[in-house]
Amino acid sequence: MALKILVVDDEPLIIEVLKAYLERDGYQVFSAITGSEALSKIETIKPDFLVLDLMLPDISGEKLCKQVRQTSDIPIIMLTAKTAEEDRIQGIVIGADDYISKPFSPREVVVRIQAILRRTQRLTEKDRLSFNNGALIIDLPRYQAFMEKEELELTPIEFKLLAGMAKYPGRVYTRSDLLEKVQQDTYEGYERSIDVHIKNLRKKVEKNSKKPEYIITVFGIGYKFGGKPDVTHSSQ
């Protein structure tokens, strides 16, 4: 699945050039020309990387960066015509991962993005669980799960059930155990109601819900996760 990059700049030519270079390297590129549009797209598309111009028509790039940092650790490269050292330092202080002055080489931007992604992906690798040769991927920080590169439309309860069991493949969970995993969502229910959520989860995860590979029933006890881990991972 292609990584999603959001380019925020009020100069259409800059967006066009960066889009061409980034898409050539296999990234999925989105754009915004205002800070408010950027905030909306960050919420809806959940990008993996943010390229942010500091001189926006409505919200300053500095203010936007601070807002993003309140809820997200998404990597950010700032683009700006400001060249003073203290401006560059300020950009890093408020949460940017890198700072590039205009005019710039589009290829340099791509290379810096790749370098930051390599570093951040190594740091967050333990938060991505992969099973059955990459068939099922669970991204814990982003509350997303993918089957054969297609995102699964899971409810919060379904995601917590899937992720909770996947952290310990083969471990058997009683219905009471699983109920505890979803109660922090202010969910109130009976142990047997877990069966309903498991049934719905199987419809979304399994190729054949009658012969499940991932969500296995342990008769008389509860359920366990049957996926085969691609790499050794630790729970959080």
Side-chain angles (χ1 to χ4, degrees):
M1 43 201 153
L3 293 178
K4 295 178 286 187
I5 297 180
L6 176 62
V7 179
V8 186
D9 200 300
D10 62 346
E11 296 184 49
L13 181 58
I14 288 180
I15 289 177
E16 182 181 343
V17 171
L18 287 178
K19 189 175 190 298
Y21 273 78
L22 289 165
E23 287 182 340
R24 189 174 63 185
D25 276 39
Y27 298 106
Q28 186 177 6
V29 183
F30 300 85
S31 63
I33 61 174
T34 66
S36 57
E37 182 185 5
L39 288 172
S40 176
K41 288 192 174 180
I42 289 170
E43 178 68 26
T44 56
I45 69 175
K46 295 179 173 56
D48 300 290
F49 204 103
L50 182 61
V51 179
L52 174 62
D53 180 30
L54 291 191
M55 304 296 287
L56 298 174
D58 56 345
I59 304 173
S60 72
E62 290 95 340
K63 183 175 181 180
L64 179 57
C65 183
K66 289 179 181 178
Q67 287 185 248
V68 171
R69 279 290 172 260
Q70 289 176 4
T71 59
S72 173
D73 60 357
I74 177 178
I76 298 174
I77 280 182
M78 287 185 169
L79 304 177
T80 181
K82 298 179 180 180
T83 57
E85 180 181 11
E86 61 183 57
D87 289 326
R88 296 196 301 273
I89 292 174
Q90 178 62 17
I92 301 300
V93 167
I94 63 177
D97 294 270
D98 205 349
Y99 194 103
I100 300 178
S101 298
K102 297 180 179 180
F104 55 81
S105 160
R107 189 60 198 160
E108 180 187 0
V109 176
V110 175
V111 169
R112 292 205 192 188
I113 288 173
Q114 291 171 338
I116 292 170
L117 284 172
R118 282 195 298 270
R119 184 173 70 248
T120 57
Q121 285 173 343
R122 284 196 298 270
L123 292 173
T124 62
E125 188 177 31
K126 62 185 177 181
D127 292 330
R128 290 189 178 94
L129 310 183
S130 179
F131 302 92
N132 294 20
N133 295 318
L136 173 64
I137 294 176
I138 304 173
D139 190 324
L140 300 175
R142 292 182 173 84
Y143 278 64
Q144 292 175 299
F146 300 85
M147 177 60 69
E148 303 293 353
K149 298 184 179 181
E150 294 292 329
E151 185 172 358
L152 300 173
E153 297 296 328
L154 303 179
T155 66
I157 289 176
E158 290 165 358
F159 181 86
K160 284 188 177 292
L161 289 173
L162 176 63
M165 288 190 288
K167 288 181 181 180
Y168 298 95
R171 173 178 170 178
V172 178
Y173 292 88
T174 66
R175 292 176 177 83
S176 178
D177 292 333
L178 296 177
L179 188 61
E180 289 182 8
K181 288 186 177 298
V182 299
Q183 281 181 330
Q184 64 191 62
D185 285 316
T186 66
Y187 171 77
E188 295 182 2
Y190 298 100
E191 290 182 12
R192 285 292 174 179
S193 66
I194 289 296
D195 294 339
V196 176
H197 294 295
I198 290 292
K199 180 180 179 181
N200 292 334
L201 179 59
R202 276 180 175 155
K203 289 179 180 178
K204 299 175 182 180
V205 173
E206 307 287 359
K207 292 180 180 178
N208 182 350
S209 59
K210 294 183 179 179
K211 295 181 179 179
E213 298 179 61
Y214 297 100
I215 311 301
I216 311 298
T217 298
V218 181
F219 293 101
I221 302 177
Y223 301 94
K224 68 178 181 179
F225 184 81
K228 182 180 179 181
D230 294 330
V231 294
T232 302
H233 56 260
S234 59
S235 63
Q236 302 301 300

